[in-house]
Amino acid sequence: MTNSKTKTTSTMESPLGTVTRTHHLGLSVRDIDASIRWYEEKLGFKVTKRFAFENLSDAGVTTREERIDGKFAFLELNGFNIEMIALKDSVPFPYKGDPAAKAYMHGLAHLCFTVDNVDEVIEELKRRDVEITWEPASFPDLGIRRSTFSDFEGNQLEIVEYID
């Protein structure tokens, strides 16, 4: 790494060290109670913690000067965590539609889970009235079978199965 004043050489391959897993994904939602219910009922997540800030500015979480009220929840499934964030006056992502078109917008395009069998998962999600946005399809060159679906607020979720 070089800047105008100093030159530093690092032997570390990655500044993240040897960490090879995520801690959590933050997901901004309109209605935290409805979002929690959806992720519990449709995907099997469990709430591990809930909390609120009456003013995030006072909590040192933001540098914004105006009052920001927020509700938060951590949900967990098989060691994967989602932090749900519901801030007063938040606005929805401007695009809801097919997965490929959504990737043309900057920011988080989707969240992907590895599963044992894409077809079985999609059939179960359909029984739970989940909106499927891309039916299962195989991509032999990538060694995967995949499908996508949306949560009730339109956030794009993907599942991938490794194939031979």
Side-chain angles (χ1 to χ4, degrees):
M1 158 170 50
T2 305
N3 67 30
S4 61
K5 294 183 181 181
T6 63
K7 183 175 181 176
T8 306
T9 304
S10 175
T11 58
M12 185 182 289
E13 285 187 39
S14 167
L16 300 178
T18 58
V19 174
T20 57
R21 62 190 182 281
T22 60
H23 184 271
H24 72 271
L25 169 81
L27 184 63
S28 177
V29 299
R30 175 183 46 81
D31 181 333
I32 199 161
D33 295 319
S35 295
I36 288 170
R37 276 192 307 278
W38 192 93
Y39 277 80
E40 286 177 332
E41 292 171 7
K42 307 299 185 184
L43 301 181
F45 276 83
K46 300 290 183 213
V47 173
T48 59
K49 183 180 251 187
R50 287 189 76 156
F51 55 99
F53 286 106
E54 290 184 15
N55 188 343
L56 289 172
S57 298
D58 290 344
V61 178
T62 180
T63 58
R64 297 175 71 169
E65 292 182 18
E66 73 270 17
R67 179 184 179 94
I68 302 173
D69 296 330
K71 294 179 182 177
F72 300 82
F74 276 94
L75 290 81
E76 187 270 339
L77 177 68
N78 300 326
F80 182 79
N81 295 282
I82 294 176
E83 176 188 14
M84 289 195 178
I85 305 161
L87 299 179
K88 184 181 177 202
D89 300 325
S90 63
V91 296
F93 192 72
Y95 178 80
K96 292 182 181 180
D98 74 86
K102 197 168 203 174
Y104 279 93
M105 299 193 77
H106 295 167
L108 183 64
H110 63 270
L111 166 61
C112 183
F113 301 99
T114 302
V115 298
D116 293 327
N117 186 304
V118 165
D119 296 289
E120 289 177 4
V121 171
I122 289 301
E123 288 308 311
E124 179 60 27
L125 291 174
K126 286 178 179 179
R127 281 191 286 279
R128 296 178 184 206
D129 296 320
V130 173
E131 176 190 357
I132 308 304
T133 54
W134 189 334
E135 290 292 332
S138 294
F139 296 84
D141 291 348
L142 299 175
I144 62 169
R145 185 161 175 77
R146 69 177 294 275
S147 184
T148 62
F149 57 98
S150 293
D151 71 9
F152 82 104
E153 288 195 354
N155 294 302
Q156 194 66 51
L157 305 170
E158 178 181 6
I159 54 174
V160 167
E161 166 191 354
Y162 289 106
I163 58 175
D164 295 330

